[in-house]
Structures are given as C-alpha cells and as structure tokens.
Amino acid sequence: MNKPTSILFIITGLLALLLGIFFGAISALQFILPGFFEVLPFFKSRPLHVSLVVAWIFSAAVGGIYYYLPNHCNLPLYSKQLPRIHFALFILTGLLIIISYMLGKFGGREYWEFPPVLAIPIIMGWVLFGFNYFKTVMKKKEPWPVYLWMWATGVFFFLFTFSESYLWLLPYFRNNVIRELTVQWKSYGALVGSWNMLVYGTAIFVMEKLSNDKTVALSRLSFLMYFLGLTNLMFGWAHHIYIVPSAPWIRHFAYFISMTELLILGKLIWNFSHTIKQAKDTYGNIASRFMAAADVWIFINLILALLISIPAINIYTHGTHITVAHAMGSTIGINTMILLSSCFYIIEQTNKATGSGPNNKLIGWGFWIVNSCLLVFFISLVAAGIIKGYYTVENELSFQEIMQKTAPALTVFVATGLGIFAGMLLIVLSALRKLFR
Amino acid sequence: MSLLHKRLFFWSLFIAFGIYTVVVFTDDAGDDMGAEYFTQEAANGKLLYQKYNCTACHQLYGLGGYMGPDLTNVMSANGRGEFIVRAFLKSGTQKMPNFNLTDDEINDLVAYLSYVDKSGISPVRDFSINADGTVEVFSNGAKE
Ligand code: HEM
C-alpha cells in the first residue's frame, strides 16, 4: 500500500475507533452480566477500550494536521521522512500496549494503564511530530490563523502534561496520596485540554474550508476564545479533585476558572439561530453534518460540565456515572464528531480527483443511529449517576444496593451503547472503503 | 489582535502556569493527614494497587473506574474493615477477580488502604453548602 502517512494515521485511527468501541461494548456488558467474556475481564477490557478510543482521537487529529499543512496551508512539511518514523513508532507502541493489557501487565494509572516504559516511544513520537510541526509552520510569513496556534499549543502541552503524569515514578510524588492525586489530575486535566486544542483547532480549520471564510480564524473573537481555552487548560483541572483534601485555594481557583466557560456557553446561545440555519443549508454535505452534530453536543456537554464544576453539585455527582457521561459525552459527541467531519472532508478532497463520493445513504443512517443512541446513552448515564449520588450521600445505602438501583439505567446504557457501535460500523466502514481505494 | 498582544497574552499565561505548577508541586506537602501511617508496607501496597490495576474497577477519592466501590475509607467504614478487606483480596467475588495474592501482598495492600483511609474522606457526607456554591466539609465527625 502506497498511501501518504497522513492517510495511514487516519486509517489506523478509524480502525482503533472500531476496535475501541468493541471493547467498550464488552466492558459495558460486563457491568450487567457478571462473568461475561471471562477471557477478557473488566480490568483488561476497560483499558483496552479507553486507550484505543484515545488513540483514535490522537491519530485522527495528527493525521489531519499532517494532511492539511502541505495540502491546504501551503506549508510543505519540513521533513517527509519523520512522519513515517512517527507512524512506525505509533503502531509499534500501540501493539505493545494491546499485548501488555491482554497479558495483564499494567502500569495501573487511569487512562495510561500500560507499563511506564511504553511512555518512552510515545514521547519520542510526539517529539518528532512537534519538531516537524514547528519547523514547518515557522516558515509561514503571514499572521498565523488561530488553528496554527491551537495545534502548536496542543503539541507542546501534550508533551508537558504527559511527562508530568509520570512524576509518580518519583517517591516524592507517589508516597503522599494527596500530592499524588493532585499532580495526577493536574496533568490529566491539562492533557485533555491539550487534545481538545488539537481537535478544536481541526474544527476551526475544517469550518474555514467548508465556509470559505478566511476571516474567522484570524478574528479577535477566535483568539479571545483560544486564550480562554488555554486559561482553562492551565488552571481549570482541580474541578476533578474537589473532594481531595488538597489546599482549599487550589479548588476555589479552579471553580472560578471553570465558570469562565459560561462565556463560551453565552457565545453558543448568541449564535444559535445562525448555527441552525447553517446546518440546514449545508445538510447535504457529510463533513458539515458531523460538524453541526458536534455543535449540538458542545452545547449539551458544556451545560453538564458547568453544572458538575459547581462544588455543591459535584459533591453528589463526583465518583458516579455522571463523570462517565461527561467523559464519553464529550469524547464521542464533540471530539469524535469533529474528527469524523475532518475525515470526510479529507475523503471528499481525495475523491474529487477520482470523482466518486462516499456512500451517503449508509453514512446518513449511521449518523442518525449514532446521534440518537448517544443521546439516550448520555441520559441513562446521567440518570445512573443521579441515583448513585443521591443514595450514596443522602441514604448511605451499601454499594450492592445502589448498584441494584442503577441497574435499569445501566441496561439502557448498554443497549444504546450497542446501538452506537452499530451506527459507527456503518460510518467507519464507509469511510475506510473510500480511504483504501 | 496584534501579534504583540497575542505574544503578551500567551507568555503571561505561560509564566503564571509555570509558577502555579511549582506551587502545586510543593504546596500540599504538609496536608497529608495520614503521613504517620505511611509505612514501607504501604509504599509497596501502592505499587501493587497499580500492578493489579485495581483502579480499573475502584475509586480512591471518587477517581477511577466504576464497577466496584470507592475504597478510600473501606478500612474504617461501618460494616467494613480489615477482616472484610482481607476476605475480598483472598478470594475475589463474581465481579472481582481472584488475583491469587500472596500473604505479603495482601498485607501490603491492607497497609496502603489503611494509610489512604487516614488521609481524608470519600464520599463526603457531612457538609454544608454555601450560597456561592462552595462546600464546607466537616472533619471526620458524624453529622450533628
Ligand atoms: C467513540 C466512542 C467512545 C469514546 C470516545 C469513549 C470514551 C471513553 C472514555 C474516555 C472513558 C473513561 C471514562 C471515565 O473514566 O470517566 C470511557 C469509559 C467507558 N466506556 Fe466508552 N467511549 C466510547 C464508546 C463507548 C461505547 C459505545 C460503550 C458501550 C457499549 C462504552 C462503554 C464504556 C464503559 C463501560 C466505560 C467504563 C466506565 C467505568 O469506568 O465504569 N464506550 N469511554
């Protein structure tokens, strides 16, 4: 196969997405059917799920950037060789991670549950990517559109926060559980912020291309939003650890910073009618359709995120499935929709040459199945979370009693999760068929 | 926004972040209420907790996977305690695997969970809510 590395990253990402959701479905079934699929118990299937879907997000974002810089930004890559090495490292590390999970060899950290040595090739890959990125974009003479800033920020902060998340290797950090949790979630909070920089940058880029309006990415408002996002990336993370008895000012400060996202909510509401109109006008275009879905999901997820960042609410919702609703609601609804939009945009571009578009009908079905299932999936997780939070804090029921009460909601969660898997199969297989051409 | 403004914004944030990072890394040093319970066994237990990926199913301070219960205060909670913890670690359940832990490993895990137990409370049940949405957590005592 003689594909550009950018496309290889995207193909790998789509495969990781399918495989990741497959393991998500297994983990979910294990929730309601104890003993299901015993060869791969929950403590193996969950990390397989989370690591693979995170790999999808990074791989699709990175592949997009490798594609867009030379093809659409007039910025030929500084090195064409480095992306190949990056890709080889990515595949190799990915395989080693999957094998280590299967064998039950863990580093045992949330999100990065693989043995710590595997962080080394990951960091190497990102250094190659970052080096190439900066060498490439520094050549640009005109002012950088905001997405070039966002991608740069994403690359830098990924490297910083990913390394920071390994500070536990030092006893100073590891042997004090309060410091350990504080530093761990400081790094994770910003890490999620850094991948959002890559993904939202991609969103602004694709929207610029779809609308042919170059002014947005250079506008003052876009940069203000970027700085707001950066501030939240740097200082908002402590809303994850309100109940950890770290210094109170850390938490109060995070509460204040988190509430600045109300500005983003305000902007969304302000633009609402415009967004709806645009979605209607461009409905026929697949990339636009996924982007419109992401817009709706940003709105829904932002409201939930703002609510659970209020300590008085967080004290009930923390440690419940509401956190899972927040995590998957935004990684599927926002990140995955944006990245699918980007993938279909690239497919359209590459197919312009061959004159054949993707199978719109199947994708249309997949689109509606995924989005409607996701809505119920999201609501059922929130419901399970409310039930668990309420009975934990107010009634002090035992864990088993609470799990029984959440069982109906979790059953709906599993059923709609399988729906999401089915819908994604339609979408992703159509995309892969085009990309393999 | 001019390039100068952008750079100014960026570097101010960046420097603030650097200072903040150093402060966070060093600030909470005195806050570990369980520090005196942190033994060599507890230190080993911490690593075993990661080695067996307990975090995939359990939370400490509400953080982790959700298949099993939060373990922060399992050593002191009503109807829980060391005896139950050892029993679970020894034989597992239908949902929790039996890891065939050695006696030493079980001792280390118990030491670690005892240490975590002393460091704070999760989930928090005794609190009052302030008008600005913040929460006042009462220390270990029961609800008055
Ligand atoms: C694009 C698709 C998906 C993405 C990006 C995604 C992402 C994630 C993330 C980030 C987590 C960690 C959550 C946390 O720690 O709070 C997670 C957990 C989980 N996901 Fe997904 N997910 C996807 C689809 C699915 C589907 C379709 C199912 C079910 C069929 C599923 C089942 C689960 C389960 C059971 C967990 C573990 C929850 C726990 O900790 O108990 N996921 N997912």
Side-chain angles (χ1 to χ4, degrees):
Chain A
M1 209 164 45
N2 192 13
K3 300 266 177 204
T5 319
S6 53
I7 303 293
L8 291 180
F9 267 106
I10 290 173
I11 291 177
T12 312
L14 288 164
L15 291 171
L17 174 63
L18 280 190
L19 206 59
I21 300 182
F22 171 73
F23 288 120
I26 289 182
S27 336
L29 281 164
Q30 284 163 338
F31 251 94
I32 56 168
L33 303 173
F36 176 79
F37 211 66
E38 244 164 78
V39 285
L40 212 64
F42 187 77
F43 69 110
K44 294 183 178 176
S45 59
R46 184 186 193 270
L48 280 168
H49 168 58
V50 177
S51 296
L52 279 163
V53 294
V54 171
W56 140 250
I57 292 173
F58 281 127
S59 179
V62 167
I65 294 171
Y66 275 142
Y67 180 85
Y68 293 135
L69 288 178
N71 293 318
H72 290 280
C73 301
N74 245 333
L75 290 167
L77 292 179
Y78 170 75
S79 157
K80 286 201 176 115
Q81 204 52 44
L82 290 182
R84 293 199 194 123
I85 305 174
H86 180 189
F87 182 69
L89 275 172
F90 185 81
I91 295 284
L92 184 76
T93 326
L95 290 176
L96 288 174
I97 288 174
I98 292 177
I99 293 171
S100 72
Y101 288 159
M102 299 259 184
L103 294 177
K105 295 259 175 277
F106 297 109
R109 310 285 291 173
E110 177 84 341
Y111 299 144
W112 317 120
E113 297 175 57
F114 45 80
V117 282
L118 292 179
I120 296 169
I122 295 182
I123 291 179
M124 278 162 50
W126 278 85
V127 168
L128 296 182
F129 177 52
F131 176 74
N132 210 358
Y133 178 81
F134 282 102
K135 279 286 189 191
T136 303
V137 294
M138 287 303 183
K139 279 183 287 192
K140 189 171 171 74
K141 295 282 177 300
E142 310 87 63
W144 286 15
V146 74
Y147 47 80
L148 290 185
W149 281 77
M150 295 171 87
W151 290 338
T153 310
V155 178
F156 174 80
F157 276 93
F158 176 85
L159 273 169
F160 181 85
T161 56
F162 185 72
S163 312
E164 192 182 26
S165 77
Y166 280 93
L167 284 174
W168 68 269
L169 290 166
L170 307 173
Y172 171 78
F173 289 95
R174 169 173 85 220
N175 289 349
N176 171 334
V177 66
I178 306 301
R179 185 183 295 127
E180 140 81 337
L181 286 173
T182 306
V183 172
Q184 183 180 8
W185 287 89
K186 175 181 185 296
S187 71
Y188 287 177
L191 200 127
V192 171
S194 78
W195 89 50
N196 280 335
M197 282 284 170
L198 297 178
V199 175
Y200 292 161
T202 303
I204 296 178
F205 176 86
V206 174
M207 285 193 289
E208 174 185 293
K209 297 298 151 192
L210 290 172
S211 65
N212 247 330
D213 181 356
K214 280 202 169 27
T215 57
V216 177
L218 291 164
S219 73
R220 194 187 158 86
L221 185 64
S222 294
F223 275 92
L224 288 176
M225 286 291 152
Y226 159 72
F227 283 116
L228 186 63
L230 184 59
T231 310
N232 273 277
L233 175 160
M234 292 170 163
F235 305 111
W237 54 272
H239 52 216
H240 292 278
I241 54 157
Y242 282 147
I243 73 161
V244 176
S246 57
W249 68 266
I250 296 183
R251 291 171 272 155
H252 289 147
F253 186 45
Y255 176 31
F256 170 75
I257 294 288
S258 305
M259 290 305 121
T260 60
E261 301 230 353
L262 278 167
L263 292 168
I264 301 182
L265 190 66
K267 175 177 174 283
L268 284 174
I269 295 173
W270 189 255
N271 286 347
F272 205 59
S273 55
H274 177 73
T275 310
I276 298 277
K277 185 176 172 310
Q278 207 175 18
K280 277 189 178 152
D281 290 350
T282 56
Y283 185 76
N285 178 290
I286 295 184
S288 315
R289 202 183 302 174
F290 279 102
M291 206 55 95
D295 251 340
V296 176
W297 284 110
I298 289 177
F299 186 72
I300 295 174
N301 280 294
L302 196 54
I303 291 179
L304 182 71
L306 281 163
L307 285 175
I308 64 178
S309 296
I310 300 172
I313 295 180
N314 183 275
I315 202 140
Y316 289 93
T317 64
H318 182 73
T320 74
H321 286 90
I322 290 190
T323 310
V324 188
H326 164 64
M328 286 207 261
S330 36
T331 47
I332 308 174
I334 306 175
N335 294 350
T336 299
M337 294 301 156
I338 289 174
L339 292 169
L340 284 173
S341 171
S342 164
C343 289
F344 282 111
Y345 178 72
I346 292 175
I347 290 174
E348 272 164 34
Q349 297 304 306
T350 49
N351 280 333
K352 261 187 192 155
T354 61
S356 65
N359 186 338
N360 290 0
K361 204 153 176 201
L362 277 186
I363 299 170
W365 273 99
F367 176 85
W368 283 110
I369 295 174
V370 167
N371 280 290
S372 45
C373 286
L374 180 58
L375 186 62
V376 185
F377 182 86
F378 182 83
I379 294 171
S380 63
L381 282 169
V382 171
I386 292 176
I387 295 169
K388 182 174 174 196
Y390 176 78
Y391 285 109
T392 305
V393 175
E394 294 294 331
N395 279 42
E396 305 191 30
L397 290 191
S398 79
F399 176 74
Q400 274 77 11
E401 288 168 307
I402 293 172
M403 286 316 275
Q404 251 163 28
K405 290 199 184 292
T406 57
L410 289 180
T411 309
V412 176
F413 156 71
V414 175
T416 46
L418 293 174
I420 294 178
F421 183 37
M424 277 295 182
L425 266 177
L426 294 178
I427 298 170
V428 173
L429 291 180
S430 311
L432 282 173
R433 267 189 42 200
K434 289 294 155 188
L435 286 167
F436 272 118
R437 283 271 172 81
Chain B
M1 210 182 280
S2 70
L3 184 61
L4 181 68
H5 283 141
K6 288 173 197 162
R7 284 191 174 152
L8 216 61
F9 261 135
F10 183 86
W11 289 111
S12 323
L13 279 173
F14 194 81
I15 292 168
F17 178 69
I19 297 171
Y20 179 64
T21 300
V22 173
V23 173
V24 169
F25 283 2
T26 48
D27 180 273
D28 58 354
D31 281 356
D32 185 2
M33 294 182 285
E36 55 183 299
Y37 296 85
F38 194 85
T39 56
Q40 183 55 45
E41 283 184 320
N44 300 341
K46 154 78 177 158
L47 293 176
L48 291 170
Y49 193 86
Q50 291 189 195
K51 177 178 168 199
Y52 291 108
N53 209 14
C54 311
T55 199
C57 301
H58 290 289
Q59 309 104 63
L60 293 179
Y61 289 100
L63 302 161
Y66 298 109
M67 178 161 279
D70 189 315
L71 296 180
T72 314
N73 299 123
V74 67
M75 293 301 287
S76 63
N78 263 341
R80 292 284 166 255
E82 182 165 343
F83 183 73
I84 300 233
V85 170
R86 286 185 183 273
F88 271 91
L89 290 178
K90 192 103 206 148
S91 40
T93 69
Q94 198 188 14
K95 286 188 180 168
M96 169 160 155
N98 176 355
F99 293 99
N100 299 316
L101 301 166
T102 65
D103 287 342
D104 279 347
E105 286 181 318
I106 293 183
N107 288 339
D108 291 347
L109 281 165
V110 166
Y112 178 60
L113 290 174
S114 305
Y115 155 69
V116 172
D117 181 43
K118 296 289 190 274
S119 70
I121 314 164
S122 167
V124 174
R125 295 197 178 90
D126 302 326
F127 58 88
S128 68
I129 292 174
N130 301 326
D132 60 2
T134 56
V135 165
E136 208 80 55
V137 177
F138 305 131
S139 61
N140 283 312
K143 213 174 212 163
E144 306 307 338

